[in-house]
Every structure is written in structure tokens, then in C-alpha cells.
Amino acid sequence: MSKPLNPTSISLFLYFSIFLLFSNFIAAQGTFFSTTAQTKNDLNPVQILRYEKSEFSGVTGAIYFIQVNDFSQQVADQELEIQVPGDAHVYKYHARYVWSPSPVDITWYGDLTDSLGYASLQFKEGELSGYFNMNERDFFIQPLGDDDYILVELEEEDAAICGYNSPDHPTGINDIQTSQVALDRGENCDVKVLVLYTDNAEEKIDNISTFISGLIAQSNQALRNSGITASELTFVLAGKGLLADFVESGIISTDLTTLRTSSTVANLRNYYYADCVMLLTDGDYSSNEGTIYGFTPTCNQDDTKAFSIVEAYAASSRMTFVHELAHQFGCKHSPGNNNGDCEPNFERPHWFHCGGRDRYTIMEAGVKKKQRIPHFSNPEISYHEHPTGTHANSSGSVERDNARQLREQACTIGNYRVSNDLKANIYGDDHWCVSSLGIPIPLVAQVSGGGPGPYTYLWQISNDGINYDPTPLSTTANAIVPMPTTLEAGDVVFVKFTVVSGTGQMYVTYWDIRVLPLESPDCDGGWEGPALHVDPDNISFLFSINPNPIHNYFDIVVLEPGQIVDFSMELYSMLGQLYIRQTFDSRPENRTSYRLDTDHLPDGTYLLRIKSKGIYESHKLVITH
């Protein structure tokens, strides 16, 4: 059992995983899990308890025992294959978003390639959890511990009830809450979320700490799916931990009042500078209408009501966590649907008919056999060619745009507490002349925020931007980067800097050092041949990219064929992961255009590096399918 949260001693650990080698993934072979002949009788007492929690929950249909294959190897080509019991078809999911700082820390989100459906999976410290659907079937993967898993098929007849604008009127609000005022943070509108959990929730969810990290990742992915950029709104995990001695009463509104009036919770919120508080429970809440999965007390933005309760077993699989979090921003249900009559009315969800089923955006609730898509309503964003929202008519009565509500209220919510976000910037040289090889380069990181307590630093170096040396280059705020004499003009030395604060916030940033030929303008070589193209603002390129943004392919066009004989290209993610490496020779056919397919790559921003004799160019590409 976890120790109770104590503000004087809380420290979230920097897991050894950041020291592991970020190796190349091996191409996936077959589906990433398979059913087994295991039974409930094969489980130990702790696993049986977790199994039975799923067995008797309000959303559970069939339960299957499965064996999960090496997940880190399955995501090599950005595609996952899934085959479920009772269906001979192999479903292929194509990645739209992948975050993988190491092989033991992977957040993966993707769509079905040949029909409707998506998968949202988190692989943290050796355990996989998550949710996927296809056609009319919904599943979530539940770890039982000791490398045992169950696949749970959802068969709910009625969707979860969610409450807000409830009769929750606590009279004992702690003075420490009302004494805090919103301040102008002067930065992007990050919203810091404190996630607490009860003893019952901890028993329900194995490795709940990593489960919470996955909830934050899923919430941010919902924002990105909905066209809300990172600069407009990002959820930051301020802290997480056990709320000791909190006992669920069986009445969710009563428990919400207890949460809001708790001096312990108020102190923790202050300690972590948290804008919002979310409590994961396993309270088996129900009413005359059915099971209640989540509860939030407000219909508008209110610092004293920025609290939610979420049933742990539905937090990820039914997106209840991000659903309740969005209520704190003023996002609402459909009119007439559980207090859905609050005005104005543009903050509503949207539904549409697609693939033979009704589909609903995240804020919908109370509909039978719902198929939520991982989007907030937004008339400017489509899902399988269907707009996910509607524009207002002349009376403004039919607008559906939760994304607008989230954008408009991001800074209001983000200003509930003084900013304490962890930030880091690297200072030093980003290029080095061939004549200076052998002389190391000093770099320094400037770090701020992150709460009380000391920082933990880790510098790592790589020759390819993928495989970072697990041996630390430095564990202080300063690093000396070696520049061996074996390097050649056009080579790049990649540096990765990771810092963790005393409260467990982590920040990762990268630095590239380019090796320039003596003839380049930056090295004052006075060379009169083709210029080294490194500055897109001041120097014309010898290559162009078309189109950009990119959908399924792009062309590299040689603008000066007489100066280019052969060249190589490398396509990296902004995190330094290499996706494509290829060499081209224009001599046989005097070609000037070379096409590359990108339909297998997830949406995002990429860095294209082109090298030829005496030439080094960098292009920033945007892929959006």
C-alpha cells in the first residue's frame, strides 16, 4: 500500500528508463496480443481482486485472458495489428501520434486504416493499458500485474451518467482556498492538474502512477485531435498520489463535497500549484438512472469548484477523465441531457451518423450504446470526412464547438494558480567548423519552475538522433560536448537534455550541433562554390519541397541540376527519431524530382536534412493526413 501524501516528503521518481538506450524498433510481426488458455483459477489473490473489479463493473461484457507481445517492437512501422476473439479479421491501426522517449515509455494513438475505429494505448515501465474499438465493438486492456492481462469487451446498455451544476453546496470551504488569487502568468496557457486517488482506486488499477500519466497523455491527444494546439492549451501533470483515509460514501455528490472541503486537498493543491484537482475512485456510484462515472460541480469556470471525481475503471476506456476535466472549463452536454440547459449554448458536443453508427464527441453523455470519438466538437475539424461540430445559425442556437470553449477559458483556468511549470533552455554553439574539431563545445541549461526541491539533470549524446548513449554526458546543469576529429563536414552531433524537478515534473529538450566545412560562410573560408545552405531566412536553397504541408507524399525538387550530382536525405521527428534515410543519384536519368511516400507516418512536424558535396540544407515539414 502506498504511503499517504505528505507535502514535505513527496517526490516523484525519475525512473531509470530515461537512462535506457533509445534503440531502433524492430518491425512488427503479427498482432501485438493473443488470447491464452489461462483462467481465473490461475491468478493470485491480488490479481483475482483486480479481475473481479472488472468482472462486476457496469461496463463489462466478455473477458478474455491475453498475452501481450513485445509492444516496443510492434510500433516500428507505425502500424499495429489487432485480432479480437470471435472475429477472424486482422484490424490494422495506423499511428497518428506517438510519444516515445524510451522503449519502456510509449504513448500510442492511431486510427483504423480500412474502417472506423481508433486505439489509444500507454506502455509504461513494462505494462500496457489502453482502449481500442472497431465497428460496433469496444475493448480495453487491463493489466493484472505479473505480466498477466485481460481484454475486456464493453457491453453497456446505457452510457454513464455524468453530473455537473449539482446540488453540491459545501459550507466549509477552507480559508486557504479563497486566499489564492489568479495571477497573469505571461506565458502559454498550460493548465496544471493534480490527480489524487483513493485506496480502492489503487487496488483497482495496477501501477496507478503510470496509469495517471497515460490519462494526461490521452487528454492532450484529445485536444490535438480537436485542433487545439499546444500553445493554446496543454494539460500538465502537477502531481499525483494517494489521498489517504478518503472513504467513498456511495454517493458521488457527498464525496465531491468532501473532496472540495478537505484541508489536506487544499494544502496539496497549493503545494503543487495545481489549477485543477481530479480524484480517481472506485466508489460504485449509482442512481435510479444507472451508474455514475464522473461528477463535476460547476457549469462555469470557478476556482473553488475546479474539482472532479472520476471512476477509475472508466477514466481511460470511456474518456471520462478528460470529459470531466472539460466540464471545469464550462463544456456541457447536449440540451436536456443531465443539466444540459445551461446557457450560452455553443459549448455543446456534436453527433453525426458515420459507418452505420451514431458517433458522439467527448462531451456527449446518456446515450445508448454510445460510440465516442476522441474529439471535442469543432466545426473546423473532420472525422472520416464528417465535421465534428456545427456553426451557429442566425439565432446562434445550433452551434457545437467545445474546442472554442476550451480555447477561450484556457488562460482563465491556467491562472487559478501562480505558474510553476518546469522549463529549460540550452545555450551554446549550434555549429562547429571542421578546423575546430577536437575542441569540445560547452553547453549550459537554464532551468526554472517545477516546484520546491532539487533538480535532477541528465545530458546524453547521439550520432544519429535516435540512439542516445545511456552513459550520461553530464548530470549537472553544464555539459562539455566532445567533437572528435573523425567527424566530417555535414555530420550532426545530437544532444538530449532531461531535467526532473523535486515534485516530479519532467522536461526534455534537444540541441543539434552541425559540422560545417571550412568553405562555409560561417567559417570564413572564402569559398566561391555553392554556398552551404543552413539559414532559410537569409540563403536561397538548392532544393525545394512540394507540397508542404504534406498529405501522403512529397517531392524533393533539385533547383540547380548543374550543381547537384547526388545527395542523401534524412527525415527526423522533432524529437530526433529517424524515419527515412535515402540516397539519390541524378546522373542516370538527369532527374530533378524525387518522390517519397509519407502515408505511413503520423501527423506532426518533421525535420528534413539534405546533404551533398559542400551542401547542407534543413527543411521543416508538416505532415497532416
Side-chain angles (χ1 to χ4, degrees):
M1 188 65 64
S2 300
K3 299 293 184 184
L5 270 172
N6 185 331
T8 64
S9 63
I10 294 174
S11 178
L12 302 180
F13 296 104
L14 171 60
Y15 295 105
F16 289 115
S17 62
I18 66 173
F19 292 98
L20 293 179
L21 183 63
F22 187 9
S23 59
N24 284 312
F25 292 145
I26 302 172
Q29 298 293 328
T31 58
F32 81 89
F33 69 80
S34 56
T35 56
T36 71
Q38 190 175 13
T39 69
K40 183 178 176 180
N41 295 332
D42 298 322
L43 304 177
N44 62 43
V46 174
Q47 291 176 315
I48 289 175
L49 178 63
R50 291 171 179 150
Y51 178 94
E52 289 179 344
K53 291 282 187 177
S54 293
E55 187 177 30
F56 299 122
S57 74
V59 300
T60 300
I63 299 179
Y64 310 92
F65 284 92
I66 61 172
Q67 174 183 333
V68 174
N69 303 321
D70 190 336
F71 185 71
S72 65
Q73 295 185 10
Q74 296 292 316
V75 295
D77 56 2
Q78 306 303 309
E79 188 174 84
L80 285 180
E81 294 185 351
I82 296 177
Q83 186 173 12
V84 297
D87 190 339
H89 183 70
V90 175
Y91 294 90
K92 295 184 178 181
Y93 294 79
H94 177 71
R96 286 186 54 193
Y97 172 85
V98 180
W99 165 250
S100 180
S102 83
V104 294
D105 186 354
I106 303 170
T107 298
W108 196 96
Y109 172 81
D111 288 324
L112 266 175
T113 56
D114 56 358
S115 62
L116 295 176
Y118 68 92
S120 179
L121 303 165
Q122 292 83 43
F123 183 67
K124 304 283 185 178
E125 296 172 26
E127 281 201 339
L128 181 71
S129 61
Y131 171 80
F132 64 90
N133 64 14
M134 73 282 288
N135 299 327
E136 299 184 6
R137 303 182 71 181
D138 300 82
F139 299 86
F140 68 89
I141 295 172
Q142 172 70 48
L144 300 178
D146 297 331
D147 293 326
D148 289 326
Y149 294 85
I150 53 175
L151 179 69
V152 180
E153 183 166 7
L154 307 180
E155 289 187 355
E156 53 189 322
E157 287 300 326
D158 292 283
I161 297 171
C162 161
Y164 60 92
N165 195 28
S166 69
D168 169 54
H169 300 295
T171 57
I173 296 294
N174 193 284
D175 291 340
I176 198 168
Q177 292 176 307
T178 59
S179 67
Q180 297 182 1
V181 295
L183 300 178
D184 183 6
R185 289 158 38 124
E187 57 190 42
N188 292 340
C189 296
D190 295 340
V191 170
K192 298 180 296 300
V193 184
L194 171 62
V195 185
L196 307 174
Y197 51 89
T198 65
D199 286 311
N200 286 342
E202 185 179 35
E203 292 177 0
K204 166 66 181 176
I205 304 295
D206 192 46
N207 201 347
I208 195 167
S209 180
T210 55
F211 176 73
I212 289 170
S213 297
L215 291 175
I216 296 296
Q218 185 184 53
S219 300
N220 281 320
Q221 184 56 41
L223 297 180
R224 307 302 170 252
N225 293 346
S226 311
I228 301 170
T229 66
S231 62
E232 291 172 322
L233 172 61
T234 296
F235 296 122
V236 176
L237 180 60
K240 52 188 172 182
L242 174 69
L243 186 59
D245 302 324
F246 189 101
V247 179
E248 294 95 329
S249 68
I251 303 173
I252 198 167
S253 60
T254 299
D255 286 355
L256 188 58
T257 299
T258 302
L259 177 71
R260 293 178 54 205
T261 57
S262 166
S263 60
T264 299
V265 173
N267 289 332
L268 290 170
R269 188 183 184 193
N270 294 337
Y271 178 80
Y272 283 109
Y273 298 87
D275 301 311
C276 303
V277 179
M278 307 289 288
L279 177 65
L280 300 178
T281 71
D282 189 25
D284 191 24
Y285 302 116
S286 61
S287 71
N288 293 332
E289 300 178 34
T291 301
I292 300 177
Y293 294 165
F295 211 51
T296 304
T298 184
C299 207
N300 295 291
Q301 302 72 52
D302 187 334
D303 188 1
T304 66
K305 295 183 180 180
F307 298 83
S308 298
I309 286 182
V310 176
E311 283 277 44
Y313 68 82
S316 175
S317 62
R318 305 312 293 160
M319 292 179 283
T320 306
F321 182 91
V322 66
H323 175 104
E324 295 301 328
L325 187 54
H327 277 321
Q328 297 188 24
F329 287 70
C331 293
K332 303 177 180 67
H333 298 161
S334 294
N337 186 344
N338 295 313
N339 305 103
D341 56 352
C342 303
E343 297 297 337
N345 67 3
F346 73 86
E347 316 97 324
R348 306 294 186 191
H350 179 63
W351 74 273
F352 54 92
H353 197 72
C354 178
R357 294 288 304 274
D358 288 341
R359 311 283 165 170
Y360 302 87
T361 53
I362 288 172
M363 296 312 298
E364 185 61 59
V367 294
K368 289 181 179 293
K369 282 289 187 180
K370 67 177 180 294
Q371 282 280 337
R372 275 185 184 161
I373 64 170
H375 287 249
F376 291 105
S377 56
N378 184 344
E380 303 300 329
I381 299 294
S382 293
Y383 176 82
H384 290 274
E385 300 181 355
H386 291 265
T388 58
T390 60
H391 291 288
N393 60 18
S394 57
S395 65
S397 63
V398 297
E399 187 171 8
R400 299 291 183 264
D401 197 345
N402 286 140
R404 170 184 163 188
Q405 179 71 11
L406 289 164
R407 287 193 187 97
E408 290 186 358
Q409 302 306 324
C411 289
T412 299
I413 309 299
N415 282 329
Y416 283 170
R417 293 296 180 268
V418 178
S419 175
N420 198 43
D421 299 334
L422 181 64
K423 301 289 184 182
N425 291 300
I426 296 176
Y427 297 93
D429 286 313
D430 62 358
H431 62 271
W432 211 236
C433 298
V434 167
S435 59
S436 299
L437 291 177
I439 302 174
I441 297 178
L443 297 179
V444 61
Q446 186 179 79
V447 181
S448 62
Y455 297 122
T456 302
Y457 305 100
L458 174 66
W459 295 83
Q460 294 169 283
I461 192 170
S462 169
N463 292 325
D464 58 11
I466 302 173
N467 301 290
Y468 284 88
D469 191 335
T471 302
L473 185 65
S474 173
T475 56
T476 72
N478 300 279
I480 301 297
V481 182
M483 298 295 289
T485 56
T486 54
L487 294 173
E488 299 177 352
D491 287 342
V492 180
V493 176
F494 301 88
V495 179
K496 176 181 178 181
F497 175 70
T498 303
V499 60
V500 177
S501 71
T503 59
Q505 293 187 45
M506 179 184 291
Y507 191 91
V508 181
T509 187
Y510 296 83
W511 192 258
D512 294 354
I513 303 172
R514 306 184 308 274
V515 179
L516 306 184
L518 185 62
E519 301 86 1
S520 72
D522 288 326
C523 295
D524 297 324
W527 185 46
E528 296 180 356
L532 183 76
H533 301 277
V534 295
D535 186 350
D537 296 323
N538 300 316
I539 301 176
S540 61
F541 284 104
L542 297 182
F543 297 87
S544 70
I545 308 302
N546 184 54
N548 191 13
I550 297 161
H551 295 297
N552 297 316
Y553 69 89
F554 70 91
D555 293 324
I556 299 177
V557 180
V558 181
L559 300 178
E560 299 288 344
Q563 297 187 38
I564 306 299
V565 175
D566 51 42
F567 64 94
S568 63
M569 61 75 64
E570 296 172 335
L571 185 68
Y572 294 89
S573 72
M574 297 308 289
L575 298 177
Q577 182 175 352
L578 177 65
Y579 282 99
I580 301 176
R581 174 182 285 151
Q582 195 164 339
T583 299
F584 302 93
D585 188 341
S586 62
R587 287 172 293 188
E589 303 173 359
N590 293 319
R591 292 176 60 187
T592 59
S593 180
Y594 304 82
R595 176 159 296 187
L596 291 97
D597 293 329
T598 59
D599 56 359
H600 63 292
L601 298 178
D603 289 3
T605 303
Y606 293 76
L607 183 65
L608 176 69
R609 294 191 172 103
I610 301 176
K611 291 193 294 185
S612 186
K613 184 177 181 181
I615 296 170
Y616 183 97
E617 289 189 5
S618 295
H619 298 257
K620 186 172 289 187
L621 311 182
V622 176
I623 296 178
T624 174
H625 296 295

